[in-house]
Amino acid sequence: MSDRSVTHTTFTLERVYKASPARVFAAWADPDAKARWFAGPAAEHEIDFRIGGREVVRGRAEDGAALTFESVYHDIIPDQRIVSASVLKSGDTMATVSVTAVELTPDGEGTRLLLTEQGTFLDGHEQPSWRQQGTLDQLTALEAELRR
């Protein structure tokens, strides 16, 4: 008998960027920009940024295991909101299922980004703290992308 577990978590991250909501939104929608800050140089990245469209990132874990992160976009309001549902697999093993909402609002001359993720973590294959840290790292990389 194998050990099975389900861990549920929700986290919210907030950042303010010195860029307009249109510029921040474009960094999510443009395939080249999104690949740079979201996937990184060692991963394969595909994106079809539209409602019903898919985004797939393929890479490797530190132990060499194949990782696939796949999202489907369910709601997109230009310059305001992006909602997606995602799965993370290690090989053929499902590690997480999550829903992410990104909200963009003007903040002075910049943009306030509010990201909320609701995650279901299966059988200890990924920890909520790892996902939160990885998402924080991506939002930091987004800041660098916006300065390009």
Side-chain angles (χ1 to χ4, degrees):
M1 180 177 194
S2 62
D3 290 328
R4 298 290 184 183
S5 64
V6 177
T7 301
H8 301 277
T9 190
T10 298
F11 64 84
T12 300
L13 304 172
E14 187 172 350
R15 296 292 289 265
V16 175
Y17 296 107
K18 294 180 182 179
S20 69
R23 174 76 179 100
V24 176
F25 183 85
W28 287 78
D30 177 80
D32 294 332
K34 185 82 184 275
R36 283 190 296 269
W37 70 266
F38 187 79
E44 295 177 35
H45 182 257
E46 305 165 20
I47 187 170
D48 178 10
F49 189 75
R50 61 180 176 83
I51 294 174
R54 292 183 144 9
E55 180 172 17
V56 181
V57 179
R58 291 180 189 88
R60 296 259 172 217
E62 290 179 10
D63 66 1
L67 295 175
T68 304
F69 183 80
E70 185 172 355
S71 298
V72 176
Y73 291 100
H74 292 279
D75 185 53
I76 298 173
I77 299 176
D79 307 340
Q80 295 179 35
R81 184 172 66 213
I82 303 163
V83 179
S84 60
S86 307
V87 297
L88 174 66
K89 291 183 180 180
S90 177
D92 292 330
T93 302
M94 183 72 63
T96 66
V97 179
S98 60
V99 174
T100 303
V102 176
E103 300 170 77
L104 306 173
T105 56
D107 186 273
E109 294 183 22
T111 300
R112 180 171 306 279
L113 181 147
L114 185 67
L115 182 149
T116 303
E117 182 166 316
Q118 298 169 305
T120 302
F121 296 78
L122 304 172
D123 304 327
H125 296 295
E126 185 182 12
Q127 299 299 315
S129 62
W130 302 347
R131 175 63 64 88
Q132 186 168 348
Q133 184 59 56
T135 304
L136 276 169
D137 293 346
Q138 289 171 324
L139 294 181
T140 299
L142 173 58
E143 185 170 24
E145 176 66 29
L146 293 169
R147 287 194 304 261
R148 284 177 59 94

